[in-house]
Amino acid sequence: MNSRKTKAVLLMLISALSFSIMQIFVKLSSAEVPTFEQVFFRNLVSLIIAAFMVKREKLPVVREMRRGGWALLGRSFFGFLGIVLFFYATGHARQADVAMLNRASPVFVTLFAGIFLKEQINRVKIASTVLCIAGAYIAMQPSFDSNPLPLFSAFAAAAVAGLAYTLLAYCKNFVSPSVIIFHFSAFSTICAGVMMLPNFVVPSPKVFLMLLMIGIFAAGGQFLLTYAYKMAPASEVSIYQYSGVVFTAILSFIVLGESLSSSSIVGGLVILGAIFWVFEYHRKVELPKKT
């Protein structure tokens, strides 16, 4: 595997960790503030950071947005919709059920990338994805006995997120990562800001800090993910998002006091094994190219 793809894998793993930390703060603050208020703070921090990046890089924002066109708008719209659905599900259903359904996102990325971006979907990608799903099921032991609406929201979040990431991969050829994130963050901040006003709750200092943490770790995860998709094909790096299952289980054990059962450990090992298999497969496939 070349250094560019190796870096993309590392960025995706750190991104998954960052999003897992964000999810913990979403859960901790969901009892006091509504979903749209969480989404607003999540994207406001990203917008500030993205604006700084755009200014520092002296990018022609308007020109690049025009080049992005419908694909850039679709990435922002479906990305925002996915966040709202995921945050709602996180606050109203069992974490194991939400996490399990949300892990279908890489499946949709691989599927959409094959259909719309004409990326190759080989047996290794299919088999490793199935292994990751099986590992996620073993690790989280979902009962799916939560209310139907939050469960449907979690699954729908995975589907629209998969479409958003595919559009992100499409945009990478003619729109810089900073502009992609700036457009997405601005779109999401405005939409969430309007929708949160009717039910706005003044957060306590503790919860306000949690909201800032949601924004900081979401921004870190978003930047890393965007750069990872720029460096490698979407169907190759999306599977590394499953590492979030392992990160979430460990963080839930440390922060939320949730049990870390033997099934969680076995499932995590299955996921890590599948991820290592994919990494080694692509590394060996590309070895002849260097010789």
Side-chain angles (χ1 to χ4, degrees):
M1 182 178 289
N2 60 47
S3 59
R4 186 177 177 85
K5 287 188 178 180
T6 301
K7 187 176 181 180
V9 170
L10 181 60
L11 291 178
M12 188 62 83
L13 291 174
I14 302 175
S15 171
L17 173 60
S18 188
F19 280 128
S20 293
I21 297 174
M22 178 207 74
Q23 186 177 343
I24 296 298
F25 284 110
V26 170
K27 180 62 178 179
L28 290 172
S29 61
S30 61
E32 185 168 329
V33 293
T35 298
F36 283 115
E37 194 166 338
Q38 290 176 314
V39 176
F40 174 79
F41 278 94
R42 180 224 187 271
N43 291 287
L44 179 61
V45 176
S46 295
L47 177 60
I48 294 171
I49 296 174
F52 172 78
M53 294 289 291
V54 166
K55 184 177 180 180
R56 191 185 69 172
E57 297 172 20
K58 299 180 180 179
L59 297 171
V61 178
V62 176
R63 187 190 311 166
E64 291 205 16
M65 285 183 179
R66 288 175 179 172
R67 283 206 302 262
W70 64 268
L72 185 60
L73 179 61
R75 185 272 175 274
S76 296
F77 173 77
F78 288 112
F80 172 71
L81 180 59
I83 292 171
V84 173
L85 291 170
F86 177 69
F87 276 35
Y88 172 78
T90 298
H92 295 82
R94 293 180 69 250
Q95 294 307 290
D97 296 344
V98 174
M100 181 65 223
L101 290 171
N102 191 250
R103 295 311 168 194
S105 177
V107 177
F108 287 106
V109 173
T110 301
L111 177 63
F112 292 145
I115 296 173
F116 299 115
L117 304 182
K118 308 303 180 184
E119 292 185 8
Q120 182 183 8
I121 303 178
N122 55 38
R123 294 178 180 178
V124 173
K125 290 180 182 178
I126 295 173
S128 58
T129 300
V130 171
L131 274 176
C132 284
I133 293 175
Y137 183 85
I138 295 171
M140 292 180 283
Q141 292 290 301
S143 60
F144 299 117
D145 58 356
S146 303
N147 293 330
L149 183 58
L151 292 181
F152 175 77
S153 297
F155 182 76
V160 297
L163 183 55
Y165 292 148
T166 303
L167 290 170
L168 186 157
Y170 175 79
C171 289
K172 69 182 181 182
N173 297 318
F174 40 87
V175 182
S176 63
S178 296
V179 173
I180 292 175
I181 297 171
F182 178 80
H183 186 280
F184 166 64
S185 300
F187 180 92
S188 300
T189 300
I190 293 171
C191 291
V194 172
M195 295 178 179
M196 80 168 180
L197 289 177
N199 300 307
F200 179 76
V201 174
V202 178
S204 64
K206 180 180 178 180
V207 174
F208 180 73
L209 180 60
M210 291 182 188
L211 293 175
L212 288 180
M213 290 299 102
I214 289 173
I216 290 171
F217 285 105
Q222 192 63 56
F223 271 92
L224 293 169
L225 181 144
T226 302
Y227 278 96
Y229 276 117
K230 183 176 179 61
M231 294 179 178
S235 59
E236 286 189 23
V237 296
S238 62
I239 191 171
Y240 295 99
Q241 287 181 277
Y242 280 105
S243 61
V245 174
V246 180
F247 295 138
T248 299
I250 295 173
L251 289 170
S252 296
F253 172 74
I254 296 173
V255 180
L256 303 179
E258 296 182 1
S259 61
L260 192 61
S261 63
S262 57
S263 61
S264 299
I265 297 172
V266 171
L269 290 175
V270 171
I271 292 171
L272 292 176
I275 288 175
F276 181 74
W277 177 29
V278 171
F279 181 83
E280 281 295 295
Y281 170 79
H282 288 298
R283 185 181 69 81
K284 291 178 179 178
V285 165
E286 295 189 8
L287 278 177
K289 298 179 182 180
K290 297 181 180 181
T291 58

